[in-house]
Amino acid sequence: MAEEYGIFIGGEWVDATGEGQIETTNPANGEVLAYFPQGSREDARRAIDVAKEAFPKWKATPPAKRGEILLRTAQILREKKDELGKLLTRETGKIIAEGRGEVQEAIDFFEYIAGEGRRLLGETVATELPDKFAMTVRLPVGVAGLITTWNFPIAVPSWKIGAALVSGCTLVFKPSSGTPLIGAELVKALHEAGLPAGVLNLVTGPGEVVGDEIAMNHTVRAISFTGGVDAGREVYAKGASRLANVGLELGGKNPTIVMADADQDLAMEGLLFAAFGTAGQRCTACSRLILHRSIYDEFLDGLVEETEKLKVGDPLDPHVDMGPVKGAAQEEKVLRYVEIGKEEGAKLRTGGKKLTGGGFDLGTYVAPTIFEGKPEMRIAREEIFGPLLTVLQAGSYDEAVRIANDTVYGLSSSIYTQDVNLAFRAMYDIEAGITYVNAPTIGAEVQLPFGGVKNTGSGHREAGTSAIEEFTEIKTVYVDYSGELQKAQIED
Ligand code: UN1
């Protein structure tokens, strides 16, 4: 029998006032994993108020102590890595190697960011006056609201929670209704590690209700959102209406350029991983392949052949390469784009259908799909978030970059070439937050900034050296120890 959860406020699981339940299910076979409340606006407000109350004490806790709790969280997650990896696979449908990999990404980030508690660096800066000292310090913004999506349900919340907590913020966390169970496990691990009650509160529920309250509530000074562009735009506008700090990590239509001189085997292996890993359901997934004309036919034939060898099936089976897409809505979306691609005159090279028969009937499985398309087609422009790769052709490096940049998005990108000059040019020319050279578009490491340009974000970067910027404000401090009134800028 699937367990029924409440919402987590003030260090305990409590009943929600909202009506209705979220049923979290396994996309591989439809099994119900748990029930969570459809939280109400009042539930969200209660969590925000508790976070506000907990803030002064958490702010006063030395950052190194805050970091220690995060390090212990990493240890707890490491001990539970197998169990959590399996649960993550059951809740998202990503294959078990990726489920475990995602738990590892959360561990990596908590280990990394724990050390930030011994830095939280500011600057000391020279002043123009004698006997005066100037410096900057970083202070927490206050209560932060975190809204996340289902495709990275432990790693992405960990980036946000880890950075916000070490910064000294207290939090309201709304996990995706698609993956609340793994979100709850993360919250449990943090409390097992010693996080004080009230510092982190979890409220499940609809974006239009719980998410909206987080976006609109004046107590929430920073909002960190990962999800789709439409929802992100709304959160941004609502946050802006009350001048809150809004960090957005939205979609992608990530290109891979393969030049004529590329190591083709390496590029092909990388593409299979980037396009069909996690069934294409990563913000960083490659959904546009831009092939140099001189290798187009040869490379594409090889890629289609290799794609057809991918084993699709039960994501808990370690021999499987690709699992289901996340539920009926994702399946319907991918299949709709298959029809759109056909109507636009794109050439379907492989896949393009729902997989049926045997174990497939219980879940939502779509075959890895490759279309030959044109840059102006919708399948080459819109984020599909599934195992659908559109292949485009370019006659030169300049044309390839033009096509790569012809998108409203700009998260990840990749170029395969042996030409070091081209590789460095691409680093500047491609409009994206991340560019890989001779490596796939997915698999960003936690100690580097993560985020995108154009419609992918609002200029913030998560993880890495910039992780704490979303959750801290810089305070400039002047200390005048001259004992006299000294006036900057004024002569005499
Ligand atoms: C996402 O899809 O939102 O770079 C995050 C990657 C992962 C993170 C993906 N480390 O593919």
Side-chain angles (χ1 to χ4, degrees):
M1 189 52 201
E3 199 176 333
E4 284 192 30
Y5 282 75
I7 50 180
F8 192 81
I9 295 183
E12 52 188 11
W13 294 97
V14 296
D15 289 338
T17 62
E19 277 175 30
Q21 277 188 319
I22 295 166
E23 197 179 76
T24 178
T25 54
N26 183 340
N29 56 20
E31 148 200 37
V32 178
L33 300 171
Y35 297 96
F36 281 81
Q38 294 283 13
S40 66
R41 211 167 267 283
E42 191 189 324
D43 294 325
R45 263 185 230 133
R46 190 150 51 119
I48 293 166
D49 289 346
V50 167
K52 186 180 176 188
E53 228 171 277
F55 178 64
K57 201 161 165 210
W58 185 241
K59 182 186 174 190
T61 305
K65 287 273 169 247
R66 304 197 290 245
E68 277 171 25
I69 295 171
L70 301 180
L71 193 58
R72 269 200 300 279
T73 304
Q75 282 155 357
I76 290 165
L77 294 179
R78 196 182 286 284
E79 280 156 26
K80 293 185 174 166
K81 182 172 165 181
D82 277 344
E83 182 195 325
L84 290 175
K86 244 182 238 162
L87 180 64
L88 208 149
T89 285
R90 287 167 70 211
E91 208 176 21
T92 62
K94 61 178 72 177
I95 59 171
I96 186 67
E98 290 171 354
R100 288 171 50 82
E102 194 191 325
V103 177
Q104 187 59 49
E105 191 165 348
I107 296 167
D108 292 346
F109 187 70
F110 280 122
E111 283 181 351
Y112 167 73
I113 207 69
E116 190 61 35
R118 294 200 170 267
R119 299 186 343 140
L120 283 184
L121 296 178
E123 293 178 294
T124 59
V125 182
T127 78
E128 63 181 63
L129 293 164
D131 296 330
K132 194 178 172 194
F133 188 87
M135 64 185 164
T136 64
V137 290
R138 282 197 173 271
L139 298 175
V141 294
V143 176
L146 315 177
I147 304 173
T148 57
T149 188
W150 56 267
N151 74 322
F152 269 79
I154 197 165
V156 170
S158 296
W159 297 349
K160 297 184 195 297
I161 291 172
L165 290 181
V166 83
S167 299
C169 293
T170 53
L171 305 175
V172 178
F173 167 38
K174 185 192 113 48
S176 161
S177 298
T179 49
L181 192 49
I182 198 79
E185 287 300 322
L186 176 59
V187 168
K188 283 187 205 165
L190 279 146
H191 287 84
E192 207 180 313
L195 191 69
V199 170
L200 168 62
N201 306 282
L202 172 145
V203 183
T204 49
E208 317 79 67
V209 179
V210 175
D212 188 75
E213 182 61 34
I214 291 172
M216 292 303 287
N217 193 303
H218 283 259
T219 300
V220 180
R221 294 311 311 151
I223 306 160
S224 184
F225 175 92
T226 298
V229 170
D230 293 339
R233 195 176 277 122
E234 249 183 73
V235 170
Y236 203 25
K238 285 176 180 156
S241 72
R242 58 181 188 82
L243 301 178
N245 182 1
V246 185
L248 301 173
E249 205 273 279
L250 310 175
K253 194 71 190 173
N254 310 298
T256 297
I257 297 173
V258 182
M259 295 302 296
D261 68 343
D263 176 336
Q264 291 195 31
D265 291 341
L266 182 70
M268 209 170 286
E269 220 186 324
L271 272 159
L272 292 171
F273 183 44
F276 304 122
T278 326
Q281 301 171 110
R282 293 196 191 209
C283 306
T284 49
C286 172
S287 50
R288 291 185 297 148
L289 165 59
I290 304 164
L291 275 178
H292 193 273
R293 189 172 301 145
S294 62
I295 55 162
Y296 186 87
D297 288 329
E298 174 197 359
F299 190 92
L300 184 53
D301 289 348
L303 184 66
V304 168
E305 201 180 311
E306 290 305 312
T307 300
E308 286 172 352
K309 287 187 199 155
L310 292 175
K311 189 166 186 274
V312 183
D314 176 2
L316 283 171
D317 175 347
H319 303 295
V320 157
D321 299 305
M322 194 181 100
V325 294
K326 175 69 174 158
Q330 284 300 117
E331 179 185 278
E332 192 266 323
K333 187 175 181 194
V334 179
L335 296 175
R336 182 154 37 88
Y337 273 98
V338 168
E339 290 316 308
I340 290 170
K342 285 181 189 163
E343 280 161 24
E344 293 179 303
K347 186 166 163 200
L348 181 64
R349 290 294 303 264
T350 186
K353 58 176 189 296
K354 177 177 168 58
L355 294 171
T356 52
F360 288 138
D361 286 339
L362 294 171
T364 42
Y365 292 89
V366 179
T369 299
I370 298 179
F371 270 109
E372 287 183 74
K374 295 265 175 338
E376 61 277 10
M377 291 177 174
R378 286 180 64 189
I379 56 165
R381 308 191 78 78
E382 296 172 18
E383 187 182 45
I384 299 169
F385 222 63
L388 193 159
L389 178 69
T390 301
V391 186
L392 308 165
Q393 197 177 117
S396 65
Y397 166 80
D398 287 332
E399 193 188 355
V401 169
R402 239 187 346 264
I403 295 170
N405 290 344
D406 183 15
T407 169
V408 295
Y409 296 108
L411 181 54
S412 189
S413 57
S414 157
I415 182 165
Y416 283 87
T417 178
Q418 302 290 329
D419 180 340
V420 68
N421 297 333
L422 266 197
F424 271 84
R425 277 179 60 193
M427 192 171 90
Y428 280 93
D429 292 344
I430 298 176
E431 295 165 4
I434 306 169
T435 295
Y436 289 91
V437 176
N438 293 329
T441 55
I442 64 174
E445 300 178 34
V446 300
Q447 68 280 18
L448 286 114
F450 183 94
V453 303
K454 302 199 238 174
N455 285 7
T456 294
S458 54
H460 287 278
R461 291 291 178 271
E462 297 194 88
T465 43
S466 37
I468 58 168
E469 287 169 12
E470 259 186 287
F471 304 103
T472 54
E473 298 278 13
I474 292 176
K475 156 87 60 85
T476 304
V477 183
Y478 297 98
V479 182
D480 191 323
Y481 56 96
S482 69
E484 288 163 21
L485 171 63
Q486 300 198 87
K487 296 178 177 168
Q489 295 101 32
I490 310 285
E491 286 173 27
D492 309 321

